[in-house]
Amino acid sequence: MEQWKGWHFPLEVDSLTGKIKTTTLENDVKQSILILLHTQRGERLGHSTYGSQLHRFLFEPLQSSLKRSIQKEVENTIKKWEKRVSSVIVDIFESQQHQTVLIVQIQYYITQIQQWQTLQYAFDLTESI
C-alpha cells in the first residue's frame, strides 16, 4: 500500500522541488485537530458550524467543572469534525509552571492506520485562542 501524503500546514513550497510540501497521515490529522480547536465556531464564512467553542472558557475560574466542560468540548468537537478518528480520550491537567494554563492531552485513534496518537497543548485561560 502506498504511503498516504497530504499537504503540510501551513502551506509551504519545497525550495528543492518547487512542489507543495506534504506530510504523513499522522501529522495531517494532528494539524487538522489543532486547526479545528483553534477555530472559533462561526469564524469561517460559509462554514459557520465548523470549529470549537473553547473561547467561551477564557477568563473563567479554574475549577473541576471548568476542566470537565473543556474536556467535553474538545471530545465533541473532534468526534463531530475529524472523521478519520474513531475514538477520542481527553484529559485536562493543571500546569505546574503557570496558574492559568491547562494542559489538554488528547489521545485519538486513527482508523485508517489502526493506531493511537497523543497530542498535548497548553490552553491559557487568559489568552485569546
Side-chain angles (χ1 to χ4, degrees), residues 31-46:
Q31 292 168 354
S32 175
I33 289 172
L34 288 171
I35 292 167
L36 174 62
L37 296 176
H38 288 97
T39 301
Q40 187 172 323
R41 196 170 298 156
E43 180 179 345
R44 288 199 175 174
L45 294 175

Side-chain angles (χ1 to χ4, degrees), residues 34-40 43 52-59 70 73-74 121-129:
L34 288 171
I35 292 167
L36 174 62
L37 296 176
H38 288 97
T39 301
Q40 187 172 323
E43 180 179 345
S52 75
Q53 293 186 327
L54 287 176
H55 68 280
R56 73 179 189 192
F57 302 114
L58 294 174
F59 305 108
I70 292 171
E73 178 64 22
V74 170
Y121 78 96
F123 179 49
D124 191 332
L125 295 168
T126 64
E127 290 186 18
S128 182
I129 296 176

Side-chain angles (χ1 to χ4, degrees), residues 3 9 12-13 15 33 58 75 85 90 101 114 119 123:
Q3 185 174 355
F9 186 83
E12 295 179 25
V13 175
S15 60
I33 289 172
L58 294 174
E75 287 174 355
V85 168
V90 178
V101 173
Q114 299 179 359
L119 163 64
F123 179 49

Side-chain angles (χ1 to χ4, degrees), residues 3 24-31 108 110 113 115 117:
Q3 185 174 355
T24 63
L25 175 63
E26 297 89 359
N27 280 333
D28 192 56
V29 172
K30 177 182 177 179
Q31 292 168 354
Y108 52 95
I110 302 174
I113 58 171
Q115 193 175 80
Q117 298 287 309

